Amino acid sequence: MAGRLTEDVYTAADTRLAEADARVAVSYPGELPGRRPVHTVYVPASQYRTRLVADWGKQAMRVFIEHGDLLDLDPAVAERVREKLLTEPIEDLRIDFEDGYGHPGDDVEDADALAAGRTLATTGGTPFAGIRFKSFEAATRRRGIRTLDLFLSGLLEEGPLPDGFVVTLPKVTAVEQVQAAVDVLARLEAAYGLAEGTLRFEVQIETAQSILSVDGTVSVARIIQAAAGRCSGLHYGTYDYSAGLGIAAAYQSMAHPAADFAKQFMQLAAAGTGVRLSDGSTNRLPVGNDLDGAWAEHRRLVRRSLENGFYQGWDLHPHQLPTRFAATYAFYREGLPSAAQRLRNYADQVSSGVLDEPATAEALARYLLGGYHCGALAESELPFDVHTLDAYARREARG
């Protein structure tokens, strides 16, 4: 059956939109394949040592064995938490030279940066790792750059750059700071003989200026663009952001409405770009007489983040590891039967009470892969093999 439009109409539409097509393809490549960490552990550089990961695992396991009954976990979840604490207690380690480290003086920081780089190179122990250096604001810019340079010097003198290496740029108050960071990373790559684009960074969204620029534009979207493909993630900074808005200390929380407002802008800016999101931290530590209450709060906040689409967060103490993995594993295991069945129905084109579209199938596959990569789900429990799920997650498979 012939339509009435001629070929020149189709050609004109293609020509008119060619530039926009190219821009969208570059700016919105979609979710990146592969594993992502469920948390980032921040450790002051002055406390970083060879056995840190093992020591954190031992502390977490000890408190879980002694008090894990307080969590009232499903046996399948509890067993997986034990296994995780034993084999991989920290997924992503960030050696902190910023707020958690302070200003001990240039000589001390120089020595610590070199030592930390060497220790990471010879120890490893986590799938992802890196450092947080001081911000690119005027007062700390030179110190931050020097620390990063010396850390890389110590790291690379011992061997190649580790897989999963990423650095963290904190306290962005102007998009130009991100552009400057891109230039510095390019210069470091040239200086150390690294391939172009090897060094990537996360941006901490912990200032009002990271969300809204002085001219009223949404700066978080411009931050991703200014990173020129080097931005791997946006991490929400709970306490700096809240304090900057004048929120009293007693009410500063990942669950505050102001936090949700900022994180929703982060989600909008990052959607489809391949830039991943991380929620922040809670500074209520599960120690002493507050173990039960702090565990309950941390578990609730982790679950809340997961339900809101933030699949990563910060942990600050070994005793937060049991609740991090307990909440994460429960989230994936509770949703496994429904997600697996819905994806099977979509693949087999089976009529059911839920009509899922390709975008939902993509989300179902990403959900199942997330559970598999973190250890919540075994491959034998998945509705398809990992390769097929990855294809669905990138909309390459069709029912």
Side-chain angles (χ1 to χ4, degrees):
M1 182 176 181
R4 298 189 179 185
L5 294 181
T6 56
E7 177 60 28
D8 63 304
V9 177
Y10 298 96
T11 302
D14 288 339
T15 301
R16 180 174 183 176
L17 293 174
E19 183 178 338
D21 290 341
R23 183 179 69 250
V24 169
V26 170
S27 300
Y28 299 99
E31 177 70 15
L32 298 180
R35 180 181 181 180
R36 63 169 299 166
V38 302
H39 69 165
T40 302
V41 166
Y42 278 80
V43 177
S46 55
Q47 298 177 19
Y48 181 53
R49 58 193 182 277
T50 301
R51 289 192 51 80
L52 183 134
V53 175
D55 289 345
W56 271 56
K58 287 181 179 179
Q59 290 182 60
M61 181 66 84
R62 184 182 304 115
V63 76
F64 184 64
I65 290 173
E66 293 176 357
H67 302 286
D69 58 309
L70 295 173
L71 299 175
D72 192 24
L73 299 180
D74 178 272
V77 171
E79 181 56 37
R80 281 168 171 78
V81 172
R82 290 190 194 94
E83 178 69 17
K84 186 71 169 181
L85 296 177
L86 180 65
T87 59
E88 193 181 71
I90 298 177
E91 292 194 357
D92 185 21
L93 176 66
R94 202 65 74 249
I95 305 164
D96 189 17
F97 285 90
E98 206 235 351
D99 282 350
Y101 177 75
H103 304 271
D106 286 338
D107 290 345
V108 173
E109 186 158 346
D110 284 354
D112 284 348
L114 276 168
R118 291 168 180 152
T119 300
L120 180 61
T122 56
T123 303
T126 60
F128 304 88
I131 72 165
R132 178 170 70 170
F133 50 88
K134 291 178 173 63
S135 79
F136 269 40
E137 292 185 292
T140 55
R141 183 183 307 133
R142 286 176 171 265
R143 180 64 261 180
I145 294 171
R146 179 167 175 78
T147 296
L148 180 56
D149 186 7
L150 290 172
F151 180 88
L152 287 173
S153 178
L155 177 66
L156 295 172
E157 73 182 22
E158 300 289 342
L161 196 73
D163 293 336
F165 181 79
V166 65
V167 299
T168 306
L169 177 64
K171 292 182 175 62
V172 172
T173 52
V175 175
E176 290 84 355
Q177 293 169 3
V178 177
Q179 295 170 329
V182 169
D183 293 340
V184 168
L185 293 181
R187 296 291 294 271
L188 286 168
E189 288 168 347
Y192 287 100
L194 300 172
E196 183 179 349
T198 298
L199 297 176
R200 307 191 73 204
F201 61 92
E202 305 156 341
V203 176
Q204 283 195 264
I205 304 301
E206 55 180 342
T207 67
Q209 297 93 333
S210 295
I211 296 294
L212 193 68
S213 295
V214 67
D215 62 0
T217 59
V218 179
S219 49
V220 64
R222 295 172 58 209
I223 283 171
I224 294 174
Q225 295 169 356
R230 290 185 184 269
C231 182
S232 62
L234 301 176
H235 286 222
Y236 177 67
T238 307
Y239 299 99
D240 281 277
Y241 186 85
S242 299
L245 267 58
I247 297 169
Y251 303 99
Q252 294 173 5
S253 166
M254 295 156 60
H256 193 282
D260 287 339
F261 178 86
K263 287 183 285 190
Q264 286 165 4
F265 268 97
M266 291 165 62
Q267 283 181 302
L268 285 170
T273 65
V275 173
R276 291 169 169 174
L277 301 173
S278 175
D279 212 332
S281 62
T282 173
N283 60 8
R284 184 180 176 184
L285 302 182
V287 295
N289 294 330
D290 196 30
L291 177 66
D292 193 8
W295 258 0
E297 180 171 306
H298 185 241
R299 189 177 178 185
R300 174 181 64 82
L301 290 171
V302 172
R303 179 66 183 234
R304 185 179 189 273
S305 296
L306 291 165
E307 292 178 358
N308 287 341
F310 281 73
Y311 301 101
Q312 185 175 350
W314 296 2
D315 290 326
L316 307 177
H317 192 278
H319 291 181
Q320 291 179 327
L321 301 184
T323 38
R324 168 66 61 183
F325 296 122
T328 301
Y329 287 5
F331 171 75
Y332 285 113
R333 294 203 62 78
E334 289 168 12
L336 169 63
S338 174
Q341 188 61 56
R342 288 175 66 179
L343 192 57
R344 286 193 198 97
N345 290 344
Y346 175 83
D348 297 337
Q349 298 183 342
V350 173
S351 178
S352 68
V354 179
L355 180 61
D356 286 325
E357 297 184 353
T360 304
E362 179 183 356
L364 289 166
R366 287 203 304 266
Y367 172 85
L368 293 167
L369 285 169
Y372 166 74
H373 285 308
C374 74
L377 309 177
E379 187 169 11
S380 60
E381 297 178 290
L382 302 176
F384 304 104
D385 61 65
V386 172
H387 177 75
T388 302
L389 280 179
D390 185 65
Y392 273 108
R394 291 179 283 115
R395 296 204 199 185
E396 293 179 3
R398 290 292 183 265

